[in-house]
Amino acid sequence: MEHLFKLIILFPWFYFFSWIDKDNRDSEIFPFFYYFYWIYITLYALFSLAWTVFSVLFFNILLRNVADIKSWGVWLLLLLIAFASDWLTYIFFKKMLRLRRELGKSNGGRH
């Protein structure tokens, strides 16, 4: 059940790139996905920024001892994941804003 929950949370993340390039913009279901992704990406961005702040601040406080290389490795890995997540959020927003501009030109700002 736990893996199913993770899959439900991550499935829109994996489906996004396929949807944004191949979806029919005149279909009835398109507005649902369009607004869903604006909400999903915003929540993902908030989580991503919170994770970055957590990684930088919390682990800097914990890692006062420079000799503990294993803890530093974990901290660097978490920091790398946080920055990769921030970069992915930037790509999501960039593609959605491009889509919004395209829709504004073609549909008169319908979406």
Side-chain angles (χ1 to χ4, degrees):
M1 190 67 178
E2 180 179 323
H3 296 294
L4 180 64
F5 181 70
K6 289 178 186 176
L7 182 66
I8 290 171
I9 295 295
L10 290 177
F11 180 71
W13 184 76
F14 293 118
Y15 183 68
F16 176 78
F17 293 108
S18 172
W19 168 80
I20 200 159
D21 292 331
K22 299 177 185 172
D23 196 31
N24 180 10
R25 295 188 166 100
D26 294 326
S27 70
E28 292 180 7
I29 199 166
F30 179 79
F32 170 75
F33 278 113
Y34 179 75
Y35 292 115
F36 169 76
Y37 274 114
W38 273 115
I39 294 168
Y40 180 79
I41 293 170
T42 304
L43 292 175
Y44 187 81
L46 290 173
F47 173 76
S48 176
L49 290 174
W51 185 253
T52 303
V53 169
F54 171 77
S55 295
V56 170
L57 296 178
F58 185 68
F59 282 100
N60 270 337
I61 293 169
L62 283 179
L63 301 175
R64 299 281 180 194
N65 185 7
V66 180
D68 193 10
I69 193 71
K70 191 185 305 182
S71 295
W72 278 96
V74 170
W75 176 72
L76 288 174
L77 178 67
L78 290 175
L79 198 60
L80 177 70
I81 291 170
F83 286 133
S85 181
D86 291 339
W87 176 78
L88 188 62
T89 304
Y90 168 74
I91 297 297
F92 280 167
F93 274 123
K94 188 175 168 183
K95 286 190 175 278
M96 284 300 285
L97 288 172
R98 181 183 53 85
L99 177 63
R100 185 176 183 184
R101 279 193 307 271
E102 289 175 8
L103 289 174
K105 290 178 185 175
S106 63
N107 295 332
R110 189 180 76 149
H111 295 287

